[in-house]
Amino acid sequence: HHLDYDVDRIAGYIVGRTDTLDEAYKADLITGPIDADKLDYLPRDSYFTGIRTEVDTQHIIQSMEVWDGSGGIPKTLVVGLSGATSVEQMHFAKLSLFPAMYNHQKVRALECMIRGIVEKIWEAGDDIGEPALRLQNVTDFLRFSDFEFLTLAAREPQLRRKTQRLINRNLLRRALHISALVLRSAPAEGNYSDFVKLGAGGPEDQIRIRALREEIFEQIPQAARIDGTTGEPLDVSDLWVDIPKAPSMSKDIMRCYVNSGGSAPIPLRTLFPIDAWLDAYAANKWTAHVFGFPDENHLKLVNNAAINVLENRFNLQFSPQATEECKL
């Protein structure tokens, strides 16, 4: 059976663009504050991590309606007043999952290990024997499943050690825990916030993070830059300063409207103090880490070097807890 789809229009919905304001609700279903994806993955992630959160999917769906386009508001997807609390709970569930799952230190360590493999691929260029692994464009990543990528990478001499450690779950370990709670005192104005902002920055900030990694690595004695199991040399792709982005939920809340029975729907933001919640998260839950090769002596050296570099670059004074959290 032939289905007549407009691929360009659907692609626009995926990135939140529509040809007319009358179609805004269609994009909302795919990439909006209460889109199908959120209603799917938030309950699923909560269930499989065992985190008790409340996402009343059925109630949210039943309270959805398409605004008629009056009152200066586009023809968009809104929720009835009775559904507003359920939407708030959904976003609170998402916020709760950041420290417990999305930014959990083991998840972040795995992501850094993948980035380490990709970093080595880019540095090696044509020295990578498998042409399919010479990742030149973003679309090159679409050619692989996880299994195919790791299988090919495990065959490459320059990638074998890193890939096998990933496959065997021999993860990078924390060498330094970084958060507002493990500083000896409030840092000088702007220094800590400048460090945090590196995680949400563009290419220039990624270059700065790379420079931090290189500076820390260079302070590790040459004799300690060895994989004790294989005897292979370690390099900067075995050391990561991982700075997660802070949860970005304000945009979703700003775009979510509630039909309260008036001439125009009201922004959920007027009912839901998301800014206060995000500030509290930043103060108490946001965490960055320095990860290193999982050898106790090596990690202690990384810890000392990282403390020195971050003190010099950002005037961050760490309490003993920053090290104790890493069980060093």
Side-chain angles (χ1 to χ4, degrees), residues 9 21 239 264-265 284 290:
R9 178 171 291 184
L21 292 178
L239 189 153
N284 300 291
V290 176

Side-chain angles (χ1 to χ4, degrees), residues 97-114:
L97 286 168
F98 272 93
M101 181 179 179
Y102 307 136
N103 287 342
H104 188 276
Q105 53 101 356
K106 289 188 177 181
V107 174
R108 301 298 302 186
L110 279 165
E111 291 183 0
C112 286
M113 293 177 76
I114 289 287

Side-chain angles (χ1 to χ4, degrees), residues 27-53:
D28 287 341
L29 287 168
I30 297 174
T31 179
I34 46 176
D35 59 45
D37 187 39
K38 291 183 182 65
L39 295 177
D40 172 56
Y41 79 74
L42 287 172
R44 182 181 67 241
D45 289 353
S46 297
Y47 176 81
F48 282 107
T49 55
I51 298 169
R52 297 180 64 86
T53 59

Side-chain angles (χ1 to χ4, degrees), residues 68-188:
D68 62 12
S70 63
I73 305 297
K75 196 171 184 180
T76 190
L77 197 64
V78 301
V79 293
L81 192 59
S82 66
T85 299
S86 295
V87 175
E88 291 175 8
Q89 289 174 336
M90 181 185 75
H91 286 288
F92 180 71
K94 181 179 178 180
L95 191 62
S96 301
L97 286 168
F98 272 93
M101 181 179 179
Y102 307 136
N103 287 342
H104 188 276
Q105 53 101 356
K106 289 188 177 181
V107 174
R108 301 298 302 186
L110 279 165
E111 291 183 0
C112 286
M113 293 177 76
I114 289 287
R115 288 158 64 189
I117 294 171
V118 174
E119 191 172 72
K120 290 296 289 183
I121 290 172
W122 284 341
E123 290 174 354
D126 291 340
D127 290 338
I128 296 295
E130 173 55 58
L133 278 178
R134 298 171 193 166
L135 306 172
Q136 302 296 319
N137 303 297
V138 173
T139 53
D140 291 342
F141 291 90
L142 303 178
R143 298 175 183 170
F144 302 106
S145 66
D146 293 350
F147 176 78
E148 290 168 332
F149 178 80
L150 293 174
T151 299
L152 291 176
R155 296 173 184 167
E156 292 289 331
Q158 298 184 62
L159 308 176
R160 185 177 297 124
R161 177 178 62 84
K162 296 180 187 301
T163 306
Q164 286 298 336
R165 284 179 44 227
L166 180 63
I167 292 172
N168 295 333
R169 293 298 189 265
N170 185 16
L171 307 185
L172 296 176
R173 276 185 54 193
R174 293 180 294 175
L176 185 66
H177 170 107
I178 306 167
S179 72
L181 300 179
V182 298
L183 299 178
R184 288 186 183 274
S185 59

